[in-house]
Amino acid sequence: MTTERKIIVNIATSGDGYIARPDGDIEWLSSRPAPKGFYGIPEFLRTIDTKLFGRKTFEHALRTGVTFDTKTRNIVLSRQPPPASVPAGIEFVTEAVGPFAERLRGTEGKDIWLMGGGGIIGAFLDEGQIDEFIISVIPTFIGEGIPLIAPRHRLVPLQLLSAHTFPDGVVQLHYRVQKT
Ligand SMILES: NC(=O)c1ccc[n+]([C@@H]2O[C@H](COP(=O)([O-])OP(=O)(O)OC[C@H]3O[C@@H](n4cnc5c(N)ncnc54)[C@H](OP(=O)(O)O)[C@@H]3O)[C@@H](O)[C@H]2O)c1
């Protein structure tokens, strides 16, 4: 029996709900020492085989020297033609989010990690294409920034699956998006 692949956001936010400063800076997050177990990310990685990036998140990662794990598919969503050259293992997709997500779910594989940022999360959410959110709330306010989900009027009920507290004060909330 095959179960449908889930699309899951697994992301960290500041205590006031931002994923990055207005200029994309995530030093407030990346400079924190992580406790043993790294917030369950190694286990989570075993459940996915595809990562989806908004174009801005991809470019921020490139600028900051992040290397991409080529053991997973890495797909960047953009509405523009892809750049002339992209690092090995990166695919650009310009298809609309809804049909793209349906097509991806229809192929064999593990779950899919929607990495962010807020723009692409908003687009997937509004197409009903996010199954779960795992949100690690960092005990720091940053005052202003890029929100977890690009703002617009919404009402999206969530079912809390678990809440886990780590020794450094991070709280990880695992929600299922209720299909309406
Ligand atoms: N805290 C964390 O754990 C975390 C995780 C991930 C990202 N981030 C941070 O988030 C920041 C970027 O977030 P962001 O919200 O500005 O950008 P984003 O979501 O990463 O990228 C937005 C881009 O996605 C593309 N896109 C394709 N289809 C779209 C659609 N239907 N609707 C909207 N966008 C679509 C567009 O690219 P084109 O303009 O090319 O068309 C759009 O400009 C970065 O600084 C990154 O470091 C933080």
Side-chain angles (χ1 to χ4, degrees), residues 11-12 19-20 24 26 29 54-57 60 77-80 97 115-120 123 146:
I11 201 161
I19 57 169
I26 53 165
L29 171 65
R55 194 260 309 161
K56 292 180 182 171
T57 292
H60 185 269
L77 288 121
S78 169
R79 295 192 185 105
Q80 306 169 41
V97 159
M115 306 284 297
I120 206 68
I146 299 171

Side-chain angles (χ1 to χ4, degrees), residues 137-176:
V137 183
I138 307 298
T140 305
F141 293 143
I142 62 170
E144 58 177 352
I146 299 171
L148 169 63
I149 305 172
R152 58 164 278 193
H153 182 88
R154 293 187 180 90
L155 183 64
V156 182
L158 303 172
Q159 178 190 0
L160 182 65
L161 299 178
S162 66
H164 188 85
T165 307
F166 293 92
D168 61 351
V170 169
V171 177
Q172 190 173 77
L173 302 165
H174 188 175
Y175 293 111
R176 178 180 295 137

